[in-house]
Amino acid sequence: ALFQHVAVKRVNGRMNSSSVVYRLSSHEDADVDGAVTRFICRFSNGEETLSVFNFSYEWATRRRRYREMFHEHGQDNNKIFTSQLLFKCPVPLSLIDLVRTGSTVKND
């Protein structure tokens, strides 16, 4: 279930550190940025952030008044919003200026 989020908590290390270990947790016990995530985003400088979904797939399904997100017999082709998994990887604070100026872009 790629569309399902997980809640994680950092066991050791700190945010934006390369030696972080995560564990599954309850939503109440999860870190603020780890309550609704799915992927660990790793950057070239060794920093990590946790992915953020653009929207809740479960909420979109319910809002459109569908009974289920996916149908057992594959009759869910009309649900275009579940045809691709969309998520964001927040850029670490130390890389924001480098990305903004484009100084890290290599010339072909």
Side-chain angles (χ1 to χ4, degrees), residues 49-82:
T49 61
L50 296 173
S51 66
V52 178
F53 282 108
N54 293 0
F55 58 91
S56 169
Y57 288 91
E58 291 87 358
W59 182 84
T61 301
R62 183 167 299 253
R63 181 82 170 111
R64 293 168 189 234
R65 296 189 177 135
Y66 291 120
R67 286 186 175 177
E68 64 259 332
M69 216 158 100
F70 297 103
H71 193 272
E72 181 179 350
H73 303 292
Q75 298 171 348
D76 48 19
N77 293 336
N78 62 334
K79 299 176 187 170
I80 191 69
F81 64 95
T82 59

Side-chain angles (χ1 to χ4, degrees), residues 17-62:
S17 172
S18 60
S19 63
V20 178
V21 176
Y22 301 92
R23 70 169 173 81
L24 293 176
S25 69
S26 65
H27 283 82
E28 295 79 22
D29 190 36
D31 291 330
V32 173
D33 61 336
V36 182
T37 190
R38 186 67 177 109
F39 303 103
I40 299 171
C41 305
R42 292 192 172 100
F43 293 85
S44 60
N45 67 347
E47 292 187 58
E48 295 179 352
T49 61
L50 296 173
S51 66
V52 178
F53 282 108
N54 293 0
F55 58 91
S56 169
Y57 288 91
E58 291 87 358
W59 182 84
T61 301
R62 183 167 299 253

